[in-house]
């Protein structure tokens, strides 16, 4: 059995005094006066030994109490001086240490509170990883941006979340900003950083949404150019056509009159060409009302059926038996579906299929025609981009603007099964604040 110092000291003092009592009894039992005096002396010695024991034990008791307080992280306990210089010096040092620990703990708590508030209020999504590069924490902006629950994110590596953006960011090297564009117009800038926690390296990931900023910049740029071009072209063509129209009947030569008529018609086509560009800039703000999307889809399919039959393409719609309602501007969404179906038909050969699939949350326009290459996919929704030799890129640009103004998420991609899918949803906003952009 292991005995501590205090117990051994007590046993030793008791043994010594017991031996002294025995010796005094044997030597002085015949001399009562000396025997009584010796016993009194031994009792006094025992009393002094106990007082010394208490004095020796006092610092140990203070130390034990202090260690227990520190172990319990209770930095409010302080000791008062006892009058013993040695013990008081120990108390003074302990109280000073406790004051410093309490101050440091308060400062760290305040800093942690400020950091947590700053992270929660950050307009940039933040994900923090544990030592095994699994998501251990995220801020509210990350939840809003990724549209995933904590159950789907926490304690998982990015590659296991199934989110298209996070999957691409799973291999992002540290300290290198990277811009990623998904299948729609959604664009993000991300950077992975490092910090030290308890002597070991951990990582975090910043994700900044750039879509609204990029869309607004593009609108301002091409809007200014189109308005300037339309103004100059319309003014010039109007004056020229006015002169040519007046002069045409007065020309004696029939060939010259025909040439003037060709010039007038060409000017009219150029004027129409510029008006189509200007329509993108002048696109009115949508007026969404709760409308029957099922009826809209069926009407658009009937409208585009002659074009499909002319190309030998099978155009059909798959919709629920009950009507699907959504807050839309019927006229503008009809224009979107017409543009998308037209592109799908042009991508198909005779015998191929264009299919509209409607659910209560989205509509898909699918075709098994020419797939979209990876090099083209990144530029699909860039303003006025077209892969057609005579294309102007207006259809997808107009489609993009209408869907952005509605706040609907959308994407266009060719899936691994070979089907190209244009998907439009209305169950959630595309981007927070995008409508204001």
């Amino acid at each position: 059995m292991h005995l501590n110092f205090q117990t051994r000291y007590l046993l030793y003092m008791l043994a010594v005094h017991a031996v002294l009592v025995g010796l005094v009894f044997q030597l002085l039992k015949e001399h009562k006066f000396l025997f009584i005096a010796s016993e009194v002396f031994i009792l006094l010695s025992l009393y002094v030994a106990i007082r010394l024991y208490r004095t020796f034990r006092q610092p140990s008791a203070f130390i034990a109490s202090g260690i227990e307080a520190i172990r319990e992280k209770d930095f409010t306990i302080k000791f008062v001086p006892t009058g013993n210089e040695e013990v008081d010096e120990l108390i003074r040092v302990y109280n000073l240490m406790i004051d410093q620990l309490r101050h440091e703990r308060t400062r760290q708590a305040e800093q942690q509170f400020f950091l947590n508030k700053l992270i929660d209020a950050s307009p940039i999504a933040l994900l923090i990883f544990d030592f095994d590069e699994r998501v251990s924490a995220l801020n509210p902006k990350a939840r809003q941006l990724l549209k995933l629950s904590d159950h789907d994110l926490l304690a998982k590596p990015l590659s296991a979340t199934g989110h298209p953006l996070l999957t691409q960011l799973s291999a992002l090297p540290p300290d290198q900003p990277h811009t990623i564009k998904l299948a729609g117009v959604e664009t993000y800038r991300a950077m992975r950083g490092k910090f030290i926690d308890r002597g070991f390296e951990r990582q975090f990931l910043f994700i900044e949404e750039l879509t609204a900023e990029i869309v607004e910049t593009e609108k301002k740029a091409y809007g200014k150019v189109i308005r300037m071009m339309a103004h100059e072209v319309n003014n010039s063509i109007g004056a020229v056509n006015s002169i040519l129209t007046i002069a045409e009947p007065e020309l004696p030569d029939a060939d010259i009159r025909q040439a003037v008529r060709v010039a007038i018609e060409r000017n009219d086509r150029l004027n129409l060409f510029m008006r189509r560009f200007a329509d993108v800039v002048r696109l009115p703000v949508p007026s969404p009302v709760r409308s029957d999307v099922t009826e809209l889809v069926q009407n658009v399919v009937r409208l585009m059926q002659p074009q499909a039959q002319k190309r030998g393409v099978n155009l059909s719609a798959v919709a629920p038996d009950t009507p699907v309602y959504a807050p839309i501007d019927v006229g503008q969404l009809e224009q979107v579906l017409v543009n998308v179906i037209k592109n799908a038909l042009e991508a198909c050969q005779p015998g191929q299929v264009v299919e509209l699939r409607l659910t209560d949350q989205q509509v898909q326009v699918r075709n098994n025609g020419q797939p979209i290459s990876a090099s083209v996919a990144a530029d699909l929704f860039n303003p006025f981009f077209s892969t057609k030799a005579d294309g102007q890129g207006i259809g997808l640009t107009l489609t993009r603007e209408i869907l952005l103004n509605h706040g609907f998420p959308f994407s266009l991609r060719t899936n691994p099964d070979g089907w190209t899918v244009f998907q439009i949803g209305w169950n959630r906003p595309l981007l927070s604040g995008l409508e204001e952009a």
Side-chain angles (χ1 to χ4, degrees):
M1 180 184 297
H2 177 72
L3 301 176
N4 59 31
F5 171 76
Q6 298 170 359
T7 303
R8 283 181 288 157
Y9 176 79
L10 286 174
L11 291 175
Y12 172 76
M13 293 305 299
L14 290 173
V16 167
H17 285 81
V19 170
L20 287 176
V21 170
L23 289 174
V24 168
F25 177 77
Q26 291 295 330
L27 295 174
L28 301 176
K29 60 182 179 180
E30 302 296 333
H31 305 281
K32 295 182 178 180
F33 178 77
L34 290 176
F35 175 75
I36 294 173
S38 299
E39 292 297 323
V40 171
F41 175 78
I42 292 173
L43 290 175
L44 289 175
S45 174
L46 184 60
Y47 172 75
V48 171
I50 293 174
R51 290 295 302 270
L52 289 174
Y53 165 75
R54 290 179 176 176
T55 303
F56 291 151
R57 186 178 178 277
Q58 197 171 31
S60 300
F62 281 124
I63 292 172
S65 299
I67 291 174
E68 184 64 24
I70 293 174
R71 182 183 294 116
E72 298 296 329
K73 297 181 180 180
D74 184 359
F75 301 142
T76 61
I77 295 178
K78 296 177 68 175
F79 299 116
V80 296
T82 63
N84 186 317
E85 292 183 3
E86 296 177 350
V87 175
D88 288 351
E89 180 63 19
L90 178 63
I91 290 175
R92 186 187 68 82
V93 173
Y94 172 82
N95 288 344
L96 179 61
M97 180 185 67
I98 285 296
D99 286 338
Q100 292 176 344
L101 288 173
R102 184 172 62 253
H103 175 73
E104 183 66 21
R105 182 182 184 184
T106 302
R107 188 176 66 86
Q108 289 185 354
E110 291 173 348
Q111 289 179 345
Q112 186 64 42
F113 178 79
F114 173 73
L115 180 61
N116 291 339
K117 288 295 184 182
L118 188 64
I119 291 174
D120 288 344
S122 173
I124 299 177
L126 172 64
L127 283 78
I128 302 174
F129 302 94
D130 60 17
F131 299 110
D132 297 319
E133 296 191 7
R134 297 173 300 189
V135 179
S136 61
L138 64 160
N139 66 347
K141 182 61 178 180
R143 294 185 181 90
Q144 175 190 354
L145 180 69
L146 300 174
K147 300 296 186 296
L148 293 177
S149 65
D150 288 358
H151 174 74
D152 296 326
L153 281 173
L154 295 180
K156 293 183 179 180
L158 294 184
S159 57
T161 60
H163 194 282
L165 175 60
L166 297 182
T167 302
Q168 293 191 47
L169 294 176
S170 59
L172 184 68
D175 302 322
Q176 293 186 15
H178 189 66
T179 301
I180 293 178
K181 187 173 183 179
L182 299 184
V185 296
E186 299 177 51
T187 307
Y188 305 91
R189 180 167 53 221
M191 188 185 75
R192 188 187 289 260
K194 299 180 290 186
F195 67 100
I196 301 299
D197 180 14
R198 289 167 285 180
F200 296 93
E201 184 179 284
R202 290 176 61 184
Q203 296 188 357
F204 62 89
L205 179 65
F206 281 128
I207 306 175
E208 183 181 7
E209 191 176 29
L210 302 178
T211 310
E213 178 181 344
I214 291 175
V215 169
E216 178 64 14
T217 302
E218 288 178 350
K219 280 184 179 180
K220 290 180 180 179
Y222 69 68
K224 182 177 181 180
V225 172
I226 289 175
R227 282 192 293 269
M228 180 182 67
M229 291 173 58
H231 176 76
E232 295 299 326
V233 170
N234 290 339
N235 286 349
S236 300
I237 289 178
V240 171
N241 271 6
S242 178
I243 295 173
L244 292 178
T245 301
I246 295 174
E248 179 187 7
E250 306 298 328
L251 296 173
D253 193 313
D255 290 338
I256 296 179
R257 286 197 303 273
Q258 181 62 29
V260 169
R261 172 50 47 189
V262 171
I264 293 173
E265 292 175 355
R266 178 67 186 108
N267 284 343
D268 289 338
R269 286 195 294 271
L270 179 59
N271 203 10
L272 177 62
F273 175 84
M274 286 308 305
R275 280 205 304 271
R276 293 182 64 192
F277 276 104
D279 287 342
V280 178
V281 180
R282 294 195 298 263
L283 184 66
V285 176
S287 301
V289 295
R290 187 172 182 269
S291 306
D292 186 351
V293 185
T294 307
E295 181 181 1
L296 172 62
V297 167
Q298 292 171 346
N299 289 340
V300 172
V301 168
R302 281 193 287 267
L303 175 66
M304 301 299 293
Q305 199 64 249
Q307 294 188 36
Q309 293 173 355
K310 183 177 180 181
R311 290 179 172 272
V313 177
N314 181 18
L315 174 62
S316 62
V318 178
D321 295 333
T322 57
V324 174
Y325 291 94
I328 59 173
D329 185 311
V330 175
Q332 291 191 8
L333 196 61
E334 180 183 57
Q335 184 63 49
V336 166
L337 293 177
V338 168
N339 290 340
V340 174
I341 294 173
K342 178 176 178 293
N343 288 341
L345 292 174
E346 292 174 351
C348 291
Q349 299 296 325
Q352 292 182 321
V353 175
V354 174
E355 181 183 74
L356 275 74
R357 288 189 175 182
L358 177 65
T359 69
D360 59 346
Q361 295 185 338
Q362 64 184 18
V363 60
Q364 293 182 347
V365 180
R366 308 169 70 250
N367 75 85
N368 59 350
Q370 180 69 27
I372 299 172
S373 65
S375 59
V376 171
D379 297 321
L380 280 174
F381 290 98
N382 288 345
F384 312 114
F385 171 82
S386 177
T387 58
K388 304 170 188 175
D390 58 346
Q392 303 165 16
I394 294 177
L396 277 183
T397 302
L398 187 64
T399 296
R400 185 191 82 162
E401 295 304 312
I402 291 174
L403 294 177
L404 288 178
N405 290 341
H406 275 76
F408 290 166
F410 61 95
S411 63
L412 174 58
R413 62 167 65 89
T414 298
N415 293 329
D417 59 5
W419 283 80
T420 300
V421 181
F422 195 115
Q423 180 172 297
I424 304 169
W426 46 79
N427 59 321
R428 64 176 177 86
L430 175 66
L431 296 168
S432 59
L434 188 59
E435 291 82 0
E436 288 78 357

